[in-house]
DNA sequence: ATCATCGTGTGGACGTTGTCCACATCGCGA
DNA sequence: TCGCGATGTGGACAACGTCCACACGATGAT
């Protein structure tokens, strides 16, 4: 029960797991290279056999968090028996669901969220080896939702290119405001209402 | 020319100035308590006579950055001889100007922007002594722009309460995406176009 | 079957950081 | 004139990321 599988074997995976634990509360700053190695019961320098430096480990953790995020975002899509029957409305509400899922994850796991996409402002200089966001699972969900909106006819194809950015901007900004910003500490119900309003606003704004 | 005014006198102000220099490039992480004191030519511990800890200094720097931000946002409001003559359109375009000014500042001074409002994700735990955003100058500009929109009749008073958050979310999120995110490195012209589209989308979204 | 090799983990060290403690100093008011 | 309180100093401690040289242990070639 102590540590059977590795000591040999899959360090690196173990370090990433430790990184997930550490960043879950405390965000990127809580990921210490020494602390992570300590948790898996290994010398600090052992990490350097698998990661160039602390930032590389952070990047690997970020990639895992993105997957967790996409999983959680796929879940609450259980608005199966929707109220409005039209496929039009369904396409629009799918985009809304994706956006709300993004925000929901951010609020439930603020530490992970801070790690997910970008180098924490000020930690990495400018050029970091983070996973390209074009392949990030949550981003792909957004792209698909927008695409089905245009095939459903609720989004003008001429407005489609680049529509990702207003959408992502709004939900990401809202999450930031709600976690570190002035909306922090608001009752969950009010937060939810504001989130719905924000998402609705940006969706109709993109549609016009 | 070396350092006449203090050595006695206005340390604290000098430390904040040093903090501004340090954070301008490098963001919050570049602000070191030791480095700041080194720059003003004083012992590291001298700082503790004026700030409880590093985070307190960062907070003071953040407050100053907010003022700089408001100044810069007030400038490009020079769309005096506007194209559309109606006061309605002017109120709407004022909100747009505020939003674009926010983004513009963020792009020109990414280091300062990262410091301006919130504790960098992961640097401060959760409860930080940052300036309350309700009094932050840029926020007040947003509030006033929205208020004049309702007096101008272009914003339904019933939609007014809470309209700050969708707006702020969109511009803040866009700035984040453009600085650390997938939009980083895009040519300034395209970035500008996307910013305008994002701001326009959220404004019409809030109006409906 | 022996041995060299290479991937992996260890131990020690260096320079840096934030923060605490006790001590020094300087100016202002009694 | 003297002392006191505000301000700055010096030294120390623990923690961090990172580099170096070294030690293990399985693996493939001889």
């Amino acid at each position: 029960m102590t540590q059977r599988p590795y000591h040999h074997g899959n360090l690196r995976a173990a370090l990433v797991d430790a990184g997930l634990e550490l960043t879950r509360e405390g965000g990127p700053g809580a990921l210490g290279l020494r602390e992570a190695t300590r948790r898996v019961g290994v010398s600090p320098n052992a990490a350097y056999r698998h990661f160039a430096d602390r930032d590389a480990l952070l990047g690997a953790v970020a990639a895992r968090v993105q997957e967790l995020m996409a999983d959680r975002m796929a879940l609450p899509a259980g608005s199966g028996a929707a109220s409005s029957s039209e496929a039009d409305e369904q396409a629009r509400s799918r985009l809304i669901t994706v956006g709300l899922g993004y925000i929901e994850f951010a609020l439930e796991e603020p530490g992970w969220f801070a790690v997910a996409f970008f180098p924490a402002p000020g930690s990495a200089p400018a050029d970091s080896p983070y996973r390209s966001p074009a392949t990030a699972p949550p981003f792909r969900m957004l792209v698909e939702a927008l695409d089905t909106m245009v095939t459903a006819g609720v989004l003008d194809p001429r407005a489609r290119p680049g529509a990702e950015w207003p959408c992502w901007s709004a939900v990401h900004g809202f999450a930031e405001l709600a976690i570190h910003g002035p909306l922090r500490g608001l009752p969950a119900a009010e937060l939810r209402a504001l989130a719905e309003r924000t998402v609705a606003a940006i969706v109709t704004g993109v549609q016009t």
Side-chain angles (χ1 to χ4, degrees), chain A residues 106-185:
Chain A
L107 295 183
E108 289 176 9
E109 301 288 356
W112 279 348
F113 175 72
V115 142
F117 289 107
F118 327 133
S123 71
D127 54 332
S128 41
Y130 273 67
R131 168 197 282 234
S132 141
T135 72
F139 179 69
R140 299 221 47 89
M141 298 181 66
L142 169 60
V143 168
E144 287 165 17
L146 282 167
D147 284 343
T148 66
M149 274 184 77
V150 32
T151 68
V154 282
L155 180 58
D156 184 350
R158 303 193 320 142
R160 172 63 189 82
E164 298 90 339
W165 312 121
C167 293
W168 197 352
S169 293
V171 294
H172 186 83
F174 185 87
E176 208 86 18
L177 260 55
I179 295 176
H180 321 287
L183 264 35
R184 176 184 45 192

Side-chain angles (χ1 to χ4, degrees), chain A residues 64-102:
Chain A
R64 282 279 303 271
V65 170
Q66 287 177 5
E67 294 164 14
L68 292 175
M69 194 167 180
D71 294 349
R72 185 90 118 256
M73 284 171 64
L75 272 197
S79 61
S83 48
S84 50
S85 48
E86 297 292 347
D88 306 4
E89 262 309 310
Q90 212 166 357
R92 185 177 195 267
S93 79
R94 177 180 173 187
L95 178 58
I96 290 181
T97 299
V98 168
L100 286 178
Y102 187 97

Side-chain angles (χ1 to χ4, degrees), chain A residues 16-66:
Chain A
V16 174
D17 285 344
L20 283 173
E21 284 184 20
L22 287 170
T23 53
R24 185 162 193 176
E25 44 199 66
L31 172 53
L33 202 150
R34 285 183 119 105
E35 177 67 22
T37 55
R38 198 176 299 132
R39 294 220 174 184
V40 354
V42 93
S43 164
N45 293 323
Y48 285 88
R49 299 295 166 186
H50 302 271
F51 301 98
D53 56 3
R54 175 184 175 271
D55 264 27
L57 173 55
L58 235 186
V61 173
R64 282 279 303 271
V65 170
Q66 287 177 5

